[in-house]
Amino acid sequence: MGTKSVGLRRLHAATAAGLGMVAGVIAAVAAQRGTLDAINRRLERLEEQAGNQQRANLAMQQRQHWELLSKAIDDPELAEVLVHYGVPVSDQRRRQYLFANALYTNLLCYYRIGNLTLDEFFMHARGMFQNPHVRGYWEATRNHRASLKGTEEGELSELIDDLLEQLDDADSDEWWVVGTPPTDT
């Protein structure tokens, strides 16, 4: 019997040691899980900060763009440096085109920073391009947009080109219903 008792004690000791090791492993895993959760929360905050910084950078760029356009609108000599349309335009037409550029760039910026969905961008563009001066600007800058292929801005300009084609082909004067707004993906 004494032998059984010693063997039983050894089994209990081994079991206790094994349970202690399992408890240690569980505690270590739990501690690592907490660390991983903390790291994930930190990454999420960093991603959010990066998005906020990108939106702030876009807003700053938009402000600088407007300042340059404003100077060019006010000073025909500066306007000649800023843009070339491929055909001669009067000072008045150049100012109108520069302002149309500011309107479009503002719409583009609103979309990029998330203030507009793609559907809303489309609907605002559909209204903006009812103006013949904005359409003239768009046509005069067609060659400029050719270099944007494969970019987000290039895709949006193709969307507008398609919309303008649909507007031109429409049998109705109800321009506000022409074209199918794209869906956000």
Side-chain angles (χ1 to χ4, degrees):
M1 285 263 227
T3 319
K4 282 189 179 180
S5 176
V6 170
L8 212 64
R9 274 187 255 143
R10 284 186 183 162
L11 182 61
H12 284 301
T15 303
L19 287 175
M21 288 177 60
V22 168
V25 168
I26 290 173
V29 168
Q32 285 180 345
R33 179 66 185 178
T35 302
L36 288 175
D37 288 345
I39 290 171
N40 282 335
R41 285 191 302 273
R42 175 79 173 136
L43 283 174
E44 288 170 3
R45 281 194 307 273
L46 288 173
E47 288 172 353
E48 183 180 337
Q49 289 172 350
N52 290 340
Q53 184 63 49
Q54 183 181 18
R55 286 186 289 281
N57 290 344
L58 280 169
M60 181 187 299
Q61 189 275 329
Q62 173 70 17
R63 187 171 36 255
Q64 290 172 341
H65 184 259
W66 173 246
E67 288 173 11
L68 289 171
L69 286 178
S70 293
K71 288 178 182 184
I73 288 169
D74 293 340
D75 186 338
E77 291 176 9
L78 293 178
E80 289 180 18
V81 173
L82 183 61
V83 69
H84 179 67
Y85 297 109
V87 295
V89 294
S90 67
D91 288 345
Q92 177 185 1
R93 180 73 52 180
R94 184 179 294 115
R95 284 191 305 276
Q96 291 168 339
Y97 284 1
L98 291 171
F99 191 73
N101 175 274
L103 289 173
Y104 175 71
T105 304
N106 186 58
L107 181 63
L108 183 63
C109 182
Y110 266 43
Y111 170 71
R112 284 181 168 167
I113 64 174
N115 286 355
L116 294 175
T117 64
L118 186 57
D119 289 352
E120 292 167 329
F121 173 88
F122 179 85
M123 290 183 276
H124 283 283
R126 184 169 47 197
M128 183 176 15
F129 281 93
Q130 294 308 302
N131 184 294
H133 299 296
V134 176
R135 283 216 185 185
Y137 154 77
W138 195 254
E139 185 56 39
T141 57
R142 181 173 301 283
N143 291 335
H144 298 181
R145 291 188 310 281
S147 66
L148 299 174
K149 293 246 186 260
T151 66
E152 178 186 43
E153 189 173 349
E155 291 172 11
L156 293 171
S157 69
E158 289 174 12
L159 176 87
I160 291 174
D161 287 340
D162 292 343
L163 170 63
L164 293 177
E165 189 175 309
Q166 292 173 31
L167 286 166
D168 290 341
D169 292 345
D171 291 335
S172 171
D173 289 335
E174 296 175 349
W175 59 266
W176 55 93
V177 296
V178 173
T180 304
T183 55
D184 287 315
T185 54

